[in-house]
Amino acid sequence: MGVFDSGVGGLTVLHECLVTMAHEDFVYLGDHARLPYGPRPLAEVRRFAQEIGAYLEANGVKLIVAACNTATSAGLSELQEELAVPVVGVITPEAHAAVQTTRNRRIGLMATQATVEAGRYARLIHDLDAGVEFFPVACPELVPLIESDDPFRAETTEAVRGYAESLKDAGVDTVILGCTHYPLVRPIFQRVFGRGVRLVFSAEETAREVAETLARKEIENDDGREGSYRFLTTGDPLAFRTMGARFLQLPIDEVEQVSLAELRAAAA
């Protein structure tokens, strides 16, 4: 299976997939050369996702996980239409979980600028419960802070506190962490919001949806085998290896580099 993200944030999703489906093989592609996706126009992110999807399909994966909220917002429908393999995104599981979790029907979202502008969360949540009040907040500073050498420094807490202020004022009882980077500093979010606010992140729900898709399409591997996993990046392999282990919570021995030209050629 192929899993991709703009950087290493999607490794939080891959971790759950590895735990849930230890018998499956995975290849993870981080598009570090074009990180971050969040400030980019949706059309540009959509093109990046289409290139990566085509590349992974050409390399024989049987299912693709768009483990990036921005890429899912920008291009999930197009990927599902264009590719022959199933494509699972991270947003729908989060929307379902948030609607099921909220008690006062006031839900907040913290995500990248592109994810907020795409409006996919709002549509999904209101399709599930038209009475929910939804409060999205773009958080452009968070991804660079979380990918820094010290994600738990004071600046990260101050940034989260600033972005959370309007959500606390709105009285939300549920907040979607709408970027795969955010769970790495989840304790900061929980400290800022307090125990009265529930945080929703999709890794477990996404892994469950992937497993169900494999079973439904009868394309699972035999559960008696041990699966493998490998890593690709369009950026610096050493930097990926160093930072990736922090997100994956497992050792990363080798990282292969893929050129942007190879991605573009796959989509041509």
Side-chain angles (χ1 to χ4, degrees), residues 97-108:
V99 170
Q100 291 171 350
T101 298
T102 184
R103 301 174 303 282
N104 67 4
R105 300 169 85 195
R106 299 173 73 83
I107 296 173

Side-chain angles (χ1 to χ4, degrees), residues 10-253:
L11 292 170
T12 55
V13 176
L14 177 62
H15 176 88
E16 291 301 327
C17 288
L18 290 172
V19 170
T20 304
M21 295 161 281
H23 53 289
E24 296 291 347
D25 299 323
F26 293 89
V27 55
Y28 180 95
L29 194 156
D31 192 10
H32 287 81
R34 299 184 288 200
L35 179 77
Y37 281 6
R40 294 180 181 273
L42 287 170
E44 186 175 37
V45 176
R46 186 177 304 117
R47 175 168 59 81
F48 294 168
Q50 289 169 313
E51 291 172 359
I52 294 170
Y55 177 85
L56 290 172
E57 184 176 53
N59 279 269
V61 302
K62 62 184 179 182
L63 181 147
I64 292 174
V65 182
C68 173
N69 300 71
T70 303
T72 300
S73 297
L76 181 65
S77 298
E78 288 77 8
L79 288 176
Q80 290 173 334
E81 290 171 3
E82 295 168 4
L83 301 179
V85 298
V87 184
V88 174
V90 291
I91 290 179
T92 299
E94 286 180 339
H96 278 277
V99 170
Q100 291 171 350
T101 298
T102 184
R103 301 174 303 282
N104 67 4
R105 300 169 85 195
R106 299 173 73 83
I107 296 173
L109 167 70
M110 299 177 75
T112 66
Q113 186 71 42
T115 296
V116 169
E117 289 178 358
R120 189 176 181 89
Y121 277 104
R123 291 191 297 273
L124 284 168
I125 285 172
H126 287 138
D127 284 346
L128 293 165
D129 184 348
V132 164
E133 293 185 79
F134 184 64
F135 305 90
V137 175
C139 309
E141 295 178 23
L142 290 186
V143 168
L145 286 168
I146 294 169
E147 287 217 349
S148 70
D149 291 337
D150 182 12
F152 289 97
R153 66 184 190 269
E155 289 89 340
T156 307
T157 301
E158 288 306 308
V160 171
R161 185 173 287 119
Y163 292 133
E165 187 173 353
S166 64
L167 298 181
K168 294 172 78 172
D169 290 344
V172 302
D173 74 346
T174 301
V175 174
I176 299 170
L177 301 184
C179 174
T180 52
H181 284 71
Y182 297 176
L184 188 71
V185 294
R186 182 174 182 142
I188 293 178
F189 285 91
Q190 200 69 73
R191 167 68 175 164
V192 167
F193 282 106
R195 289 297 177 189
V197 173
R198 302 185 186 185
L199 303 178
V200 171
F201 174 61
S202 72
E204 292 182 8
E205 290 85 358
T206 301
R208 191 177 304 115
E209 183 174 337
V210 170
E212 290 171 354
T213 301
L214 293 176
R216 186 171 62 252
K217 295 186 175 294
E218 299 182 346
I219 53 174
E220 322 104 299
N221 283 345
D222 188 294
D223 61 10
R225 69 188 293 273
E226 182 176 350
S228 64
Y229 53 96
R230 52 192 282 255
F231 303 94
L232 312 173
T233 180
T234 57
D236 177 15
L238 180 59
F240 179 104
R241 182 182 175 188
T242 302
M243 188 175 300
R246 185 199 305 169
F247 282 76
L248 186 64
Q249 301 176 55
L250 290 168
I252 296 177
D253 296 325

